[in-house]
Amino acid sequence: MDAPKPAVASVNAWNAEYLDEQYRRYKADATSVPDDLRSFFQGFELGMTRPGRDGGSGDGGASHFQHQVDKLIEAYRDVGHVAAKLDPFGRTPERPAVLTLAFHGLSEADLDREVDSSVGPTLRAAIERLESVYCGSVGSEYTHIEDADERGWMRERLEAGSPTPTLARGLQMHLLEQLVQAELFETFLGKRYPGEKRFSLQGAETLIPLLNHVIETFANQDVGEIVFGMAHRGRLNVLNNVLGKTYEQIFTEFEDAWDEDFADGGGDVKYHRGYSATRMFANGKQVHLAMASNPSHLEAVNGVVLGRTRAKQRLRSDTERRRVAPVLIHGDAAVAGQGVVAETLNMSQLDGYTAGGCVHIVVNNLIGFTTIPEDGRSSRYCTDVAKMINAPVLHVNGEDPEAAMVCAEIAVEYRQKFGKDIFIDLTCYRRYGHNEQDEASFTQPILAKLIKDKKPILKSYARRLLADGRITDDDIAAIRARFVESLDEAQKMAKEQPKDPTIDPGSARWSGLSNGWTFEDGETAVTEEAIAEVCAALGRVPDGFNVNRKLQKLLSDRAALPETKAISYADAESIAYGTLLLEGSAVRLSGQDCRRGTFSHRHAVLRDAETADPHIPLNHMREMGVPGTDDAPGSQGEDGRARQARFCVYDSPLSEAAVLAFEYGYSLADPKMLVLWEAQFGDFCNGAQTIIDQFIASAEAKWQRWSGLTLLLPHGYEGAGPEHSSARIERFLKLCGDENMQVVYPSTAAQTFHMLRRQVKRSFRKPLIVFTPKSMLRTPTSSIEELTRGHFETILDDPRFEANDGPSRKGVKRVALCSGKFSHELMARRDELGRDDVAVVRLEQVYPFHTERMKAVLGSYPSSAEVVWTQEEPRNMGAHHFVADRLEVELDIPVLRYIGRGDSGTPATGSKKQHKAEQEAILSEVIGPAPAAGKIEPAKKDGARAVASA
């Protein structure tokens, strides 16, 4: 039997006031009311227009005629884009039946009848106007937008002016010059460097004037910075003709004449690199432009651009997000095919991630590599993903550059007015295949023939201006000659005097910082007074705030930390953040559920138990500073104390790739801020592997881009199964080289405190990968006095042998090297058995590996002592292989004995019983059996889950 279906409220159930209000909305805009109401009102009006109603012949026929006209007008607004002339090859589009007169009961005899419409006095005039607005070179989709104000604005903006206005001669000449520059740049590279990949813009040259007009329109709206992201197609052309990267710099790359970036095996191909510059306009406006570097993971850069934009907005105190704007340039196959696009769009209006709207431009080549749209997406348009956030879409024929200019203006104005995303779908083509050596006719013979026969946009636009008498043949020849001469001269200069093609990474806000690694930590210890101030705030709530009764003890315990002394990882983390904030360094932390903490360890945001209103204790220590103003963090407040910085903490959407990309981008813009991303469980970083591989681990070597981003990855074996045990230490270590990042597994609260603070206090920036101990986040492991002295230790010697009254090192027969949380289990077993012949040495920072420190620690024990490596992770995972290699190469320890789980294809067993047996077997072999160990079943010795001792 089918389940009962919920009943929809009938019209009779609605009150008269509500109906009147909805009817007024319907009359103003039929699409502004729900479908059921719209149907009701249409039926109501149809009934009112029947001839002879209320006993009179009246004008019912006229009213019915007007009603049908209104429906035709709405049809144009809704589906006119389907009939728009968007195809660059001039093929006739399908024409929906709903756009015909007959569909609405109208005929040609009605064309000269007067209509009540803003688009024309007669039906004929209205249709002509609607055809030009909705079925010309621009096809618009906006009726899906839920917000009536946005929808009304789009309608008025489209219908008020001409979709293809005639530009003044000066503007047309400027547009023509841009097309000449775009085409000559590509043809010059094709002739002078015929064997080089360049992923040319040919077939989509309109992108250049489109982007330039976007920038100019933004400048006129007082935008001071724009952050760009795009894939490799057309990138060199955009870098040159939009961002101003010089011919000399680009030709230096083609000549392969700049060795510095590649000296250590780094660098990247030219069409992946970023750039930045400042554009000046004739009216005195200027805009700083930044193009983010991007690998061939086409859409991966989206989150990076938005995070970088958000950080720049903060630094400018741009709370309305109107002075810094993002622009993303997509490919048609990628924007439809790659899931990170949807992840990024989902973030567009979230409190912690919005950048105030993004202008998206799709370079629609009608094909992917060799994949046609029918095989690449299930939707009509590649931009249909935009509808998930009610973003409007403007489809424009790339063969009409003047129409593209209009779209640029509408897009920028919409973004600035509503703070939301908008898409421009530039329909064009790719003159050559995926790259200049590709043969497209193998797989798309019909499209390839159309392209072969197609005249370039420069010729067609020039012919149009010639026909209108706007230019002469001499004008075109002069423009061409000027640019050809400059290209020739630039190539000559690049050969004689190569020019650095990159931007100095240590400039602007990065001044004074470097990427040179050192084991010096900077000043990370703090005063007792600073700790007391932070702890007091952690335990304090505003008057009238209703604390959840289960958290009352937590708050009182935090306030009492200076007296009770013992602190946990969670305490140390909060105090580290708090002391940085007092010193003027802002902190940003985001991730799934990180406000509370997946393991209920953080409670960075408290919620009123009755109202759910939030309170962030660390933002209420002192008067708050405002970046980019005279009252910036560190400046003196009204109470005479330095103003604190802000703790920005957000629960992220259930996404890894887009969110981690966002935080990485954020870290690029503000090196003085501690930026952290926390995975709900460490293995969730799998979902962001592209960002880790292509940006975090390699950006310094590839693009000379530095980042101090910190990843917090909960890690540790507690019988939780294969999904939530391992943060994959081995994968990060495989990515380590040339001191590109730090891999740390702190075992104490004090280590955590100094580790987090040194990330801001040192004179260089490197990504920091932290494996956090899930089961020990709330376990006290340090004294609070340890925060007032010392620094982070890359290796912790055994405290049992460091104590003045401890046993002698001379009796040690085994030194067990390990990392992280497992060390506490080892030391607990050792203390339980009273073993004075086993030392437990903790490797806190696995990379960069501190060889000299390890040599000193191991040298303090007898040379006869056996050195073993033990870990919770399977033998082929964790740090085992990395550490064994380092000890052999750098300390001449050829065979490092391993004690731990055997090789495995999965991180952990799904059985708690088996996990407990495996863990006990390792402890027993390293230290000795527990007194009651006989009750535990031994680990199986056969198969992948075996415990190995080799």
Side-chain angles (χ1 to χ4, degrees):
M1 182 176 180
D2 293 337
K5 297 180 179 179
V8 179
S10 67
V11 172
N12 292 334
W14 294 323
N15 61 49
E17 291 82 0
Y18 174 77
L19 278 178
D20 287 342
E21 172 60 26
Q22 295 300 306
Y23 188 55
R24 282 193 292 272
R25 290 182 59 193
Y26 168 80
K27 292 296 287 182
D29 179 2
T31 62
S32 67
V33 299
D35 292 343
D36 53 354
L37 271 178
R38 183 162 60 250
S39 299
F40 167 70
F41 290 140
Q42 289 172 345
F44 168 74
E45 290 182 337
L46 180 62
M48 292 296 291
T49 60
R50 288 176 181 168
R53 182 176 173 82
D54 293 332
S57 58
D59 62 350
S63 298
H64 176 67
F65 168 73
Q66 181 63 48
H67 177 65
Q68 298 306 105
V69 169
D70 290 343
K71 291 201 296 182
L72 176 60
I73 292 172
E74 287 306 313
Y76 269 101
R77 292 167 175 165
D78 194 33
V79 300
H81 56 86
V82 176
K85 301 174 181 63
L86 303 177
D87 186 67
F89 306 104
R91 291 171 291 187
T92 303
E94 61 179 298
R95 189 161 188 90
V98 73
L99 296 183
T100 63
L101 292 171
F103 185 89
H104 300 281
L106 301 170
S107 69
E108 291 189 5
D110 297 313
L111 288 175
D112 294 318
R113 294 179 64 178
E114 292 185 358
V115 296
D116 181 13
S117 170
S118 61
V119 293
T122 65
L123 178 57
R124 186 188 304 276
I127 290 176
E128 289 176 354
R129 179 66 179 152
L130 292 167
E131 282 286 328
S132 67
V133 171
Y134 294 107
C135 302
S137 294
V138 177
S140 56
E141 293 185 276
Y142 66 90
T143 57
H144 60 277
I145 302 175
E146 294 177 1
D147 187 273
D149 290 338
E150 295 175 38
R151 196 168 56 247
W153 184 90
M154 285 293 298
R155 182 180 64 247
E156 292 174 12
R157 183 65 176 78
L158 288 164
E159 295 178 3
S162 172
T164 54
T166 301
L167 300 181
R169 182 180 183 277
L171 291 176
Q172 288 182 325
M173 289 295 291
H174 180 52
L175 198 162
L176 180 66
E177 285 199 5
Q178 293 179 75
L179 293 176
V180 171
Q181 285 179 282
E183 182 178 289
L184 288 184
F185 176 82
E186 297 292 359
T187 55
F188 185 90
L189 291 179
K191 290 178 180 179
R192 300 297 174 90
Y193 304 101
E196 291 280 345
K197 290 182 181 179
R198 53 190 165 92
F199 297 97
S200 80
L201 192 62
Q202 287 163 288
E205 291 92 343
T206 296
L207 177 66
I208 299 304
L210 170 60
L211 284 175
N212 281 323
H213 203 53
V214 164
I215 295 168
E216 189 168 5
T217 308
F218 266 130
N220 291 333
Q221 298 260 354
D222 294 324
V223 168
E225 289 189 73
I226 302 175
V227 184
F228 290 91
M230 72 177 295
H232 44 277
R233 177 152 313 283
R235 187 184 188 92
L236 294 175
N237 209 312
V238 170
L239 288 173
N240 173 243
N241 289 308
V242 177
L243 275 83
K245 187 171 184 178
T246 67
Y247 291 144
E248 289 85 353
Q249 288 176 300
I250 293 173
F251 294 154
T252 294
E253 293 176 305
F254 274 94
E255 296 289 340
D256 207 4
W258 193 262
D259 298 329
E260 187 174 312
D261 294 341
F262 307 96
D264 297 321
D268 199 357
V269 291
K270 44 196 163 291
Y271 40 80
H272 288 168
R273 292 178 182 270
Y275 196 74
S276 62
T278 298
R279 286 274 298 271
M280 301 289 295
F281 294 94
N283 60 3
K285 303 280 188 180
Q286 68 177 40
V287 183
H288 182 75
L289 309 175
M291 173 70 79
S293 301
N294 192 29
S296 287
H297 287 266
L298 309 172
E299 302 290 338
V301 78
N302 295 357
V304 176
V305 166
L306 296 176
R308 195 169 172 182
T309 301
R310 170 89 171 211
K312 288 175 177 287
Q313 290 169 345
R314 174 187 166 275
L315 291 167
R316 284 176 172 259
S317 195
D318 180 16
T319 56
E320 294 185 350
R321 312 198 185 285
R322 296 294 178 270
R323 294 162 59 198
V324 185
V327 174
L328 287 172
I329 305 162
H330 312 269
D332 52 312
V335 76
Q338 297 192 5
V340 71
V341 176
E343 289 186 27
T344 307
L345 291 176
N346 182 55
M347 294 159 52
S348 65
Q349 292 299 308
L350 301 183
D351 181 48
Y353 306 91
T354 182
C358 175
V359 173
H360 301 262
I361 299 171
V362 179
V363 179
N364 190 340
N365 294 307
L366 307 177
I367 194 171
F369 179 3
T370 67
T371 305
I372 58 176
E374 291 83 352
D375 292 327
R377 62 176 185 264
S378 298
S379 57
R380 174 185 291 275
Y381 297 117
C382 62
T383 53
D384 281 347
V385 67
K387 295 176 183 175
M388 68 175 279
I389 58 167
N390 288 308
V393 181
L394 299 172
H395 306 277
V396 60
N397 191 326
E399 295 296 293
D400 190 343
E402 294 188 12
M405 305 275 273
V406 174
C407 292
E409 293 176 4
I410 295 174
V412 170
E413 290 168 9
Y414 177 87
R415 188 267 176 192
Q416 291 298 95
K417 182 173 180 62
F418 297 106
K420 294 185 177 180
D421 293 43
I422 183 169
F423 281 69
I424 298 174
D425 178 18
L426 182 66
T427 309
C428 42
Y429 61 95
R430 196 176 63 197
R431 181 157 294 279
Y432 300 106
H434 177 65
N435 58 59
E436 287 65 40
Q437 286 77 49
D438 189 44
E439 180 51 73
S441 64
F442 290 158
T443 48
Q444 278 75 39
I446 296 175
L447 180 60
K449 186 177 187 307
L450 287 171
I451 293 172
K452 183 179 179 180
D453 296 339
K454 185 80 177 66
K455 298 294 184 184
I457 177 62
L458 174 59
K459 288 188 177 180
S460 61
Y461 187 65
R463 188 167 57 244
R464 170 179 163 184
L465 297 186
L466 284 167
D468 292 342
R470 293 298 185 102
I471 61 171
T472 66
D473 288 324
D474 290 341
D475 293 328
I476 299 176
I479 295 172
R480 281 183 172 275
R482 186 168 73 251
F483 287 120
V484 169
E485 182 180 354
S486 61
L487 285 163
D488 277 327
E489 183 62 27
Q491 187 186 36
K492 179 181 177 183
M493 291 296 295
K495 291 180 176 180
E496 295 175 355
Q497 293 180 310
K499 188 170 182 181
D500 187 353
T502 61
I503 297 296
D504 179 11
S507 59
R509 294 190 177 96
W510 290 83
S511 178
L513 296 172
S514 75
N515 67 328
W517 171 265
T518 172
F519 284 103
E520 297 296 325
D521 286 332
E523 185 56 52
T524 58
V526 297
T527 65
E528 293 179 358
E529 290 76 16
I531 295 173
E533 185 174 357
V534 173
C535 291
L538 289 171
R540 186 171 61 233
V541 295
D543 293 340
F545 188 91
N546 301 289
V547 179
N548 185 301
R549 62 181 182 83
K550 294 182 179 180
L551 295 179
Q552 290 172 349
K553 184 177 186 303
L554 171 69
L555 299 189
S556 61
D557 287 347
R558 284 178 169 178
L561 284 174
E563 288 75 42
T564 55
K565 306 297 185 182
I567 60 170
S568 66
Y569 177 104
D571 300 326
E573 180 195 49
S574 294
I575 297 172
Y577 298 157
T579 52
L580 286 172
L581 297 172
L582 291 179
E583 295 164 1
S585 296
V587 177
R588 177 183 167 90
L589 169 64
S590 87
Q592 295 155 18
D593 312 298
C594 73
R595 283 170 169 158
R596 187 194 75 183
T598 301
F599 308 96
S600 290
H601 64 285
R602 185 171 291 119
H603 293 285
V605 179
L606 304 175
R607 293 280 179 179
D608 188 292
E610 296 183 7
T611 67
D613 291 338
H615 171 66
I616 304 176
L618 289 180
N619 281 339
H620 296 274
M621 297 183 292
R622 294 182 187 174
E623 184 180 343
M624 184 66 67
V626 181
T629 70
D630 292 337
D631 298 330
S635 64
Q636 185 173 322
E638 294 182 1
D639 59 2
R641 299 185 300 171
R643 291 182 174 90
Q644 74 161 88
R646 183 175 296 279
F647 181 33
C648 308
V649 54
Y650 301 103
D651 290 337
S652 76
L654 198 62
S655 159
E656 287 81 40
V659 175
L660 183 55
F662 188 99
E663 302 307 334
Y664 172 77
Y666 205 110
S667 73
L668 295 179
D670 191 357
K672 296 178 175 60
M673 186 177 191
L674 179 60
V675 182
L676 311 99
W677 175 73
E678 181 176 63
Q680 189 178 58
F681 288 90
D683 56 304
F684 281 19
C685 69
N686 285 351
Q689 199 65 50
T690 296
I691 308 303
I692 294 168
D693 290 354
Q694 302 296 337
F695 293 91
I696 294 172
S698 58
E700 179 183 315
K702 292 192 299 187
W703 308 317
Q704 295 78 52
R705 293 296 96 189
W706 309 336
S707 167
L709 179 65
T710 297
L711 276 61
L712 304 179
L713 308 177
H715 177 88
Y717 282 55
E718 288 115 24
E723 297 305 312
H724 299 318
S725 294
S726 177
R728 297 292 194 172
I729 295 174
E730 67 282 354
R731 292 184 182 174
F732 287 96
L733 292 175
K734 284 292 185 183
L735 294 171
C736 289
D738 295 325
E739 298 166 338
N740 60 329
M741 59 183 178
Q742 308 155 87
V743 176
V744 178
Y745 193 0
S747 63
T748 73
Q751 284 282 86
T752 298
F753 173 85
H754 291 294
M755 171 197 69
L756 291 172
R757 283 181 52 82
R758 76 169 186 167
Q759 190 67 354
V760 176
K761 294 298 180 181
R762 290 178 298 187
S763 61
F764 61 89
R765 295 291 179 267
K766 301 277 185 178
L768 171 62
I769 315 302
V770 184
F771 299 93
T772 63
K774 301 194 301 286
S775 64
M776 298 189 65
L777 293 174
R778 293 179 288 176
T779 303
T781 53
S782 296
S783 168
I784 204 163
E785 285 87 356
E786 294 178 68
L787 313 187
T788 64
R789 63 177 186 271
H791 54 83
F792 178 81
E793 297 283 356
T794 57
I795 298 170
L796 285 178
D797 198 358
D798 194 324
R800 186 179 184 89
F801 298 97
E802 287 190 314
N804 292 330
D805 57 350
S808 171
R809 294 174 183 264
K810 294 180 180 180
V812 172
K813 296 180 180 179
R814 171 179 287 173
V815 177
L817 300 177
C818 61
S819 275
K821 160 256 190 188
F822 190 49
S823 64
H824 292 277
E825 295 182 48
L826 291 167
M827 289 189 288
R829 175 63 57 87
R830 190 268 313 278
D831 294 345
E832 182 182 14
L833 296 178
R835 294 284 301 268
D836 291 338
D837 59 344
V838 179
V840 178
V841 174
R842 288 165 282 179
L843 181 57
E844 301 283 287
Q845 178 174 294
V846 188
Y847 189 84
F849 190 79
H850 201 163
T851 304
E852 293 305 314
R853 172 65 176 157
M854 179 62 79
K855 183 185 298 185
V857 171
L858 293 181
S860 68
Y861 294 99
S863 59
S864 59
E866 178 190 30
V867 179
V868 304
W869 174 263
T870 182
Q871 64 182 32
E872 298 180 296
E873 303 84 6
R875 184 176 181 274
N876 56 318
M877 302 178 193
H880 165 244
H881 288 308
F882 180 87
V883 173
D885 179 69
R886 290 288 161 148
L887 293 183
E888 179 179 2
V889 172
E890 299 180 19
L891 292 180
D892 197 27
I893 300 178
V895 180
L896 177 66
R897 185 183 174 195
Y898 168 81
I899 301 176
R901 288 171 170 83
D903 292 345
S904 174
T906 181
T909 177
S911 164
K912 286 188 176 181
K913 179 180 178 181
Q914 178 69 7
H915 160 78
K916 190 174 182 180
E918 291 175 357
Q919 203 83 344
E920 173 57 35
I922 301 171
L923 290 168
S924 296
E925 186 150 358
V926 177
I927 307 295
K935 297 181 180 179
I936 300 176
E937 295 183 11
K940 295 178 180 179
K941 290 290 185 179
D942 54 340
R945 300 308 314 165
V947 174
S949 176

